[in-house]
């Protein structure tokens, strides 16, 4: 009986760990020139502008522009919603976040509010966890 219980415990632990082994990392670029209005007309301020991912996946935003940007959850018209905020990302630097819950996250650049994007996370519950800047 003890071995059966131990076997069930091991199988459960492995089952919990396996989904993260298949997690993906996606890259989004703050497009060069996005600090000047106009990219919003073609949804090209962030490339890609809309990203569909799965629970447990990570997104890395890289600032490929020549000025600072932020990755801030919320919308320019509604303001920040507190889910995540990169602070200022210098040119050439990046910001990453892992999304453990299903939700549709709008985000924008506080410095350049015409820059807006969306991450749609499928399969789970709701709200992001770990963030890091490099």
């Amino acid at each position: 009986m003890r071995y059966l219980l131990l076997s069930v415990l091991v199988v459960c632990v492995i089952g919990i760990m396996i989904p993260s082994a298949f997690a993906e990392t996606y890259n989004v670029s703050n497009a060069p020139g996005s600090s000047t209005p106009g990219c919003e007309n073609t949804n090209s301020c962030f490339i890609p502008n809309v990203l569909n991912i799965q629970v447990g996946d990570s997104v890395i935003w890289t600032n490929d522009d020549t000025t600072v940007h932020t990755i801030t959850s919320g919308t320019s018209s509604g303001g920040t919603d507190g889910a995540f905020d990169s602070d200022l990302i210098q040119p050439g630097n990046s910001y990453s976040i892992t999304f453990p819950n299903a939700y549709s996250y709008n985000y924008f650049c506080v410095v350049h509010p015409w820059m807006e994007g969306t991450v749609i996370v499928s399969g789970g519950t709701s709200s992001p966890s770990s963030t890091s800047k490099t």
Side-chain angles (χ1 to χ4, degrees):
M1 182 65 171
R2 183 172 30 168
Y3 292 113
L4 178 62
L5 185 57
L6 182 59
S7 297
V8 169
L9 180 61
V10 168
V11 168
C12 289
V13 168
I14 290 171
I16 290 169
M17 293 170 54
I18 286 176
S20 63
F22 297 107
E24 298 280 338
T25 300
Y26 295 88
N27 295 298
V28 176
S29 172
N30 288 68
S34 57
S35 57
T36 303
C39 59
E40 73 279 11
N41 297 326
T42 57
N43 293 322
S44 61
C45 298
F46 293 104
I47 301 170
N49 180 259
V50 176
L51 182 63
N52 292 289
I53 66 172
Q54 297 295 309
V55 167
D57 289 347
S58 298
V59 178
I60 300 171
W61 285 268
T62 302
N63 184 355
D64 293 319
D65 198 12
T66 58
T67 189
V68 297
H69 289 287
T70 71
I71 305 300
T72 306
S73 63
T75 61
S76 58
S77 60
T80 63
D81 64 18
F84 54 89
D85 185 6
S86 65
D87 293 322
L88 295 176
I89 305 170
Q90 297 297 320
N93 288 348
S94 62
Y95 170 75
S96 66
I97 184 170
T98 299
F99 292 88
N101 302 303
Y103 195 69
S104 180
Y105 297 92
N106 294 311
Y107 65 90
F108 69 108
C109 175
V110 173
V111 183
H112 310 100
W114 55 86
M115 296 178 62
E116 295 185 307
T118 305
V119 176
I120 301 168
V121 185
S122 300
T125 52
S126 55
S127 224
S129 76
S130 62
T131 60
S132 65
K133 285 181 17 179
T134 57

